[in-house]
Structure formats: C-alpha cells, structure tokens
Amino acid sequence: MVARRTLLPGLAAAVMAVSLLRMTLIPAFAGVQVTPDRQLRVATHVSDICEIVVTCPSVGARTRMVVQDDTTVDAIVKRARQALGFDQSFLNDSDFKVYLKKDESTPISGKIGDHGLVPWGPEGMELHIYFDPPL
C-alpha cells in the first residue's frame, strides 16, 4: 500500500510536466500560416477594355465609362450626354466638342484608340466635353 502512495504523486507530476510542455510548444491559434513576401504584381495587359473619365468642366459634372480602342468619340459623346443628364432632344450630339484634358486646343474625333488610350491609372485618360454649338 505504501508503494502506491509514492507512485501516484510522481505520476501526477509527470503528467503535469508533459501537459505544460505541450501547451508551450503548440501555437495558441489554430491554423497559423506563414505570410509570403509581398510583391507588387502589375498586369501589363489584362484586356483591351479601358476606363476613362469624361468631365464637363463648365458644370463640374463627371462620369466614368468603359471603352475599347475602337470606340468612337461620337459614341462617347452620346453615352456621356446621357450619363451627365444633357440628353435633351433639342440638343444635337454634333454641338458637343470633346478635348483631351492635357490639350484643349483642338477637339478630337474618330476612334478613341487613336488619341493615346491607356489602361486606367494615375496617367489615365480624361476627356473634357463642352457644349459649343455653331453660331
């Protein structure tokens, strides 16, 4: 009987030591993951769809739209008029002139891809639209 009493405290101490050791070695949170090094990943060409901003500076209205290289400036005028609320029937599409933001000396026409269309970013394309009917 004496042998059992001395074995029980030793066994209890051993179980406690093993459980404490396991608790310190096992992470506290489940599913610990190693974070990979962050690298900037820039897509060089995802698709031929680009986003542009069309602004009417005289009233401060802006809209964003998605275009492709072969989208015509006339189609952009029609969509911008509708988005900005200038689609009244008594106004003609031909009375609106479109300029590049960086050069407002000559209006642009034709396909938007011929005027330096780039994927949207800090140097993205912004167009200015003005109502300029002939006198």
Side-chain angles (χ1 to χ4, degrees):
M1 203 72 152
V2 176
R4 281 189 191 172
R5 287 187 204 162
T6 58
L7 184 62
L8 189 60
L11 186 59
V15 169
M16 290 281 287
V18 169
S19 65
L20 284 174
L21 184 63
R22 281 190 65 187
M23 289 174 67
T24 58
L25 294 179
I26 295 176
F29 300 103
V32 175
Q33 298 175 356
V34 177
T35 307
D37 293 335
R38 290 187 154 204
Q39 296 178 359
L40 294 177
R41 294 180 187 152
V42 178
T44 55
H45 185 71
V46 176
S47 70
D48 49 338
I49 297 174
C50 298
E51 182 182 48
I52 63 170
V53 173
V54 180
T55 304
C56 183
S58 57
V59 295
R62 304 180 97 184
T63 186
R64 298 180 338 182
M65 64 178 65
V66 176
V67 296
Q68 294 179 331
D69 286 344
D70 60 348
T71 304
T72 63
V73 174
D74 293 334
I76 292 172
V77 167
K78 185 180 247 9
R79 288 173 49 195
R81 285 185 57 199
Q82 186 176 15
L84 298 173
F86 303 137
D87 55 347
Q88 291 83 3
S89 61
F90 57 88
L91 299 175
N92 297 323
D93 286 343
S94 60
D95 293 341
F96 287 88
K97 306 294 186 265
V98 179
Y99 301 87
L100 294 173
K101 177 186 176 186
K102 60 186 174 190
D103 179 23
E104 291 190 352
S105 60
T106 44
I108 63 172
S109 60
K111 294 182 180 178
I112 196 67
D114 299 338
H115 300 285
L117 181 65
V118 295
W120 183 246
E123 288 81 32
M125 179 177 271
E126 183 172 351
L127 302 177
H128 286 180
I129 184 171
Y130 290 97
F131 179 68
D132 188 18
L135 297 175

